[in-house]
Amino acid sequence: ALLIPDILNPFFAEMIRGIQDEATLLGYLPILYDSTEDIAREQQLLRMFANQPLRGIILGGSRLAVTDLLAFCRQTTLPLVLLNRTAHHPRVACILTDMEEGAWRAARHLIDLHHTRIAFLSGPYKSEQSQARRRGVERALAEVGLTLRPEWCPASSPNMDGGFQTMSALLALPIDERPTAVIAYNDLMALGVLHAIRAHHLRVPEDISVIGTDDIAIAAHANPPLTTISQPKYRMGRMAVQVLQRMIQGRPPPEEGYTLMETALVVRESTAPVNNGK
């Protein structure tokens, strides 16, 4: 079984392709479920999984607390692979991308462009990945004596509407209180940010620089093309099935249960040196 939080997010589509391709090679048929960013629905589906004739489970971007994930592990003997989440359990393997380092690299890119008023749109604030991204941004800012202002770190739904709404709120601030650069939790939010900036008759990157996360296919074709933190989505999906197969065969997960994959900053046209007139 494969459970993801949002089937409409292209990030998960690329991951699913990797899972599907590797599962086909190994003779498995993945069954896809979507929790629609609803924690209660995710809990309901996991309870259902515990009573189904499954070989294993892959959870992509689970929104559950670690305590809830561990409670589920105690209810089942099925091996579990978590993507971009962590949980210490002998039947759990965790495959993560180093998003703290990726967010640090993104913030350093903006700092090198002389931005000092940098916002981070945190998406689902309590999520493990959101906290990792925030730590990376804060670390980069601290290295040059800056801080992440609380009002420039709003939480919202991790989609285009969430990006549009949170950016619109930031643009309602007085001009000298607005950020000159924004790092979004994901590319969907960044696309909403681009829309909000245009709706306020401002330009990217001349007035505000924007960075997304994930490098989904449409990011390269945004207006302007989006600078973003790339994750190895397809490779992550294939690796998830390989690790799950290993666990189904009775072998322990590799690397003591944790595999960390690198990110890369893809620089496109949505970032530029700060406009000192703003």
Side-chain angles (χ1 to χ4, degrees):
L2 167 61
L3 177 57
I4 60 173
D6 184 5
I7 199 171
L8 299 179
N9 187 337
F11 171 83
F12 293 107
E14 294 188 50
M15 181 186 292
I16 292 167
R17 176 65 62 83
I19 290 170
Q20 175 180 280
D21 287 353
E22 189 67 24
T24 298
L25 289 176
L26 296 175
Y28 291 113
L29 177 65
I31 306 171
L32 175 63
Y33 298 87
D34 174 19
S35 68
T36 66
E37 295 284 357
D38 184 334
I39 291 177
R41 177 173 168 80
E42 185 175 346
Q43 291 173 324
Q44 178 187 27
L45 287 168
L46 287 178
R47 287 194 296 269
M48 183 184 75
F49 291 167
N51 299 311
Q52 297 296 317
L54 301 172
R55 300 299 302 277
I57 301 170
I58 298 172
L59 288 186
S62 171
R63 302 306 187 208
L64 294 182
V66 173
T67 52
D68 291 330
L69 289 171
L70 294 176
F72 170 71
C73 291
R74 291 191 290 270
Q75 299 169 10
T76 180
T77 59
L78 291 171
L80 175 65
V81 175
L82 296 179
L83 301 178
N84 279 337
R85 286 297 311 274
T86 58
H88 297 274
H89 192 278
R91 289 196 310 279
V92 175
C94 304
I95 302 174
L96 308 100
T97 50
D98 193 349
M99 291 311 305
E100 180 174 341
E101 184 68 16
W104 175 87
R105 194 175 293 117
R108 285 297 317 187
H109 172 64
L110 294 172
I111 291 167
D112 290 343
L113 294 173
H114 307 295
H115 290 275
T116 58
R117 290 152 48 185
I118 299 172
F120 170 60
L121 307 191
S122 66
Y125 179 77
K126 293 183 179 180
S127 83
E128 186 175 317
Q129 283 295 295
S130 179
Q131 293 298 314
R133 291 159 165 82
R134 177 168 180 159
R135 287 194 302 272
V137 172
E138 289 180 325
R139 178 159 58 92
L141 293 174
E143 289 172 354
V144 293
L146 300 172
T147 59
L148 182 63
R149 293 169 52 169
E151 65 269 30
W152 290 351
C153 189
S156 70
S157 300
N159 52 38
M160 285 185 277
D161 285 344
F164 181 87
Q165 292 165 8
T166 51
M167 191 65 212
S168 295
L170 290 177
L171 292 173
L173 296 171
I175 292 178
D176 58 355
E177 291 295 312
R178 296 174 185 169
T180 62
V182 174
I183 300 172
Y185 172 80
N186 63 19
D187 286 343
L188 290 183
M189 290 190 71
L191 293 174
V193 168
L194 295 179
H195 183 193
I197 293 170
R198 287 195 300 271
H200 284 75
H201 307 292
L202 298 171
R203 300 165 299 165
V204 175
E206 292 86 352
D207 299 310
I208 301 177
S209 287
V210 178
I211 296 181
T213 303
D214 294 341
D215 196 22
I216 60 177
I218 197 173
H221 304 281
N223 182 21
L226 185 65
T227 296
T228 183
I229 307 165
S230 177
Q231 296 196 59
K233 305 169 283 297
Y234 180 81
R235 284 198 298 120
M236 185 184 297
R238 297 200 72 149
M239 183 179 293
V241 178
Q242 294 166 2
V243 171
L244 191 61
Q245 167 77 340
R246 174 186 176 122
M247 297 167 71
I248 289 171
Q249 293 173 341
R251 293 182 290 162
E255 306 295 335
E256 299 183 351
Y258 285 85
T259 302
L260 187 64
M261 306 180 77
E262 292 185 352
T263 61
L265 183 66
V266 180
V267 178
R268 297 194 179 102
E269 297 169 33
S270 66
T271 50
V274 65
N275 182 344
N276 290 322
K278 293 293 181 181

